[in-house]
Amino acid sequence: MPIKGATWNGTSGNPTKSDPVNEVVKEVKKAETQHRGKKSCATRDLTETEYRKVVHGKGSFESTIRTACMLKQQVHLITRTDDISKLKYSDYKPHPDFPFALSCKVHWSKNISEERQCPDQIILGSMDTAFCAMLGLANYMEASFNYGYGATGRENAFLFTPESNPKLAPKHCNAAYRTILKAVFLSAPFLAVAVLIVCVLGSHSIRKFAATLARGMGATADEVDIRGRWKARLSGRVVDAYISPEQPWIDARVAEKLCMGAPTSYTRTPRE
């Protein structure tokens, strides 16, 4: 990996600081845009139709209930596949202010380097069951215990894998999740759509879909930044360093935008 702070002297240093190299890269990108040369490998965002096909997929427990739940959490929290794979049962808890909601803390986001950058975030129910992270979580947890997930007494048990190794379990879970998604993306219905679209689908397509959906529903780019735990833009404003990343009302506003059909609440009815 090149040393970022170094310059390029023609024979050594950081080649990304070389004007000739940057000119070549610029020409390659321009040729790619004009559909000259190799086909683009850039990933596009998932469409709503494709998202619903994944959520309503058929097959094994892992490829249906678990994948649907992980996908719903990923979209609702605007996060990456490996972040979802590292979630634990202890990361979810009842919301302290609103009994109809849950809160979740995503410790693992790529851009998080300190505790204050991963505040508790609200989880809301949705009238559209395909987008309801809360209902997906309930269905998954009820079914998962039959498959050895979340053994009783393991406070730090991973949510989406029965493995307990802190290093290997999330990696295996993420790999399995991505494998299932890849199989779906390469299925006939998705390939039929891909013929009409230049870019391909990938793991980042889901996060792009969530961010685009929130933006399209009226959330501002800065609000999406907060919900997705992205670093503040390098605006040069001194005040950015003093604004707390914990913005619960903005976070709730974006969460509401991601609840298709309007947010909703659930009431627990005791069995007679």
Side-chain angles (χ1 to χ4, degrees):
M1 179 178 290
I3 302 174
K4 294 182 179 180
T7 57
W8 179 255
N9 60 12
T11 57
S12 63
N14 186 352
T16 63
K17 298 293 182 67
S18 168
D19 290 337
V21 170
N22 289 331
E23 287 298 324
V24 172
V25 172
K26 187 184 298 183
E27 287 298 319
V28 170
K29 289 183 177 180
K30 183 177 180 180
E32 182 182 68
T33 303
Q34 297 172 348
H35 297 176
R36 295 187 288 118
K38 186 179 182 297
K39 185 178 179 180
S40 174
C41 293
T43 57
R44 61 176 174 85
D45 53 323
L46 203 67
T47 66
E48 183 178 337
T49 301
E50 292 169 335
Y51 168 83
R52 291 181 183 277
K53 287 181 179 178
V54 179
V55 169
H56 297 305
K58 298 180 180 179
S60 65
F61 165 76
E62 285 78 10
S63 61
T64 54
I65 298 177
R66 187 180 72 171
T67 297
C69 180
M70 293 179 74
L71 190 61
K72 290 176 183 180
Q73 306 305 310
Q74 190 177 350
V75 169
H76 198 59
L77 290 166
I78 316 182
T79 189
R80 304 181 306 157
T81 58
D82 53 340
D83 299 333
I84 289 297
S85 302
K86 294 174 182 176
L87 285 176
K88 298 181 178 181
Y89 283 89
S90 56
D91 292 328
Y92 286 85
K93 54 182 178 289
H95 198 282
D97 299 319
F98 306 106
F100 55 83
L102 297 175
S103 67
C104 179
K105 187 183 288 288
V106 183
H107 305 269
W108 313 93
S109 289
K110 182 179 180 181
N111 293 327
I112 287 178
S113 57
E114 56 183 80
E115 181 68 20
R116 69 190 294 267
Q117 292 178 322
C118 54
D120 288 323
Q121 295 185 270
I122 195 168
I123 304 291
L124 298 174
S126 172
M127 290 291 289
D128 190 330
T129 57
F131 285 84
C132 187
M134 194 175 293
L135 183 61
L137 186 64
N139 289 339
Y140 166 76
M141 291 182 67
E142 182 177 1
S144 65
F145 285 104
N146 296 326
Y147 293 87
Y149 289 57
T152 303
R154 279 170 47 197
E155 181 181 350
N156 292 322
F158 288 104
L159 180 60
F160 293 113
T161 175
E163 297 184 49
S164 58
N165 188 300
K167 292 184 178 180
L168 297 180
K171 290 183 179 180
H172 293 165
C173 179
N174 185 37
Y177 179 44
R178 290 166 66 101
T179 298
I180 292 173
L181 290 176
K182 184 177 180 180
V184 175
F185 293 162
L186 292 177
S187 62
F190 283 81
L191 290 177
V193 175
V195 172
L196 305 176
I197 304 176
V198 176
C199 299
V200 296
L201 290 169
S203 59
H204 282 293
S205 299
I206 301 170
R207 200 179 194 194
K208 289 181 178 181
F209 165 66
T212 303
L213 178 63
R215 191 75 174 90
M217 294 298 291
T220 67
D222 288 336
E223 290 173 339
V224 176
D225 277 349
I226 291 173
R227 180 68 176 176
R229 300 160 308 284
W230 275 291
K231 286 184 178 179
R233 294 186 179 87
L234 300 178
S235 61
R237 297 177 301 181
V238 177
V239 69
D240 288 343
Y242 294 89
I243 297 177
S244 171
E246 186 171 1
Q247 304 286 334
W249 299 109
I250 294 177
D251 181 65
R253 169 178 160 80
V254 181
E256 177 266 328
K257 299 297 182 185
L258 293 169
C259 293
M260 299 294 284
T264 188
S265 61
Y266 295 94
T267 302
R268 181 177 178 273
T269 303
R271 294 182 179 179
E272 297 181 357

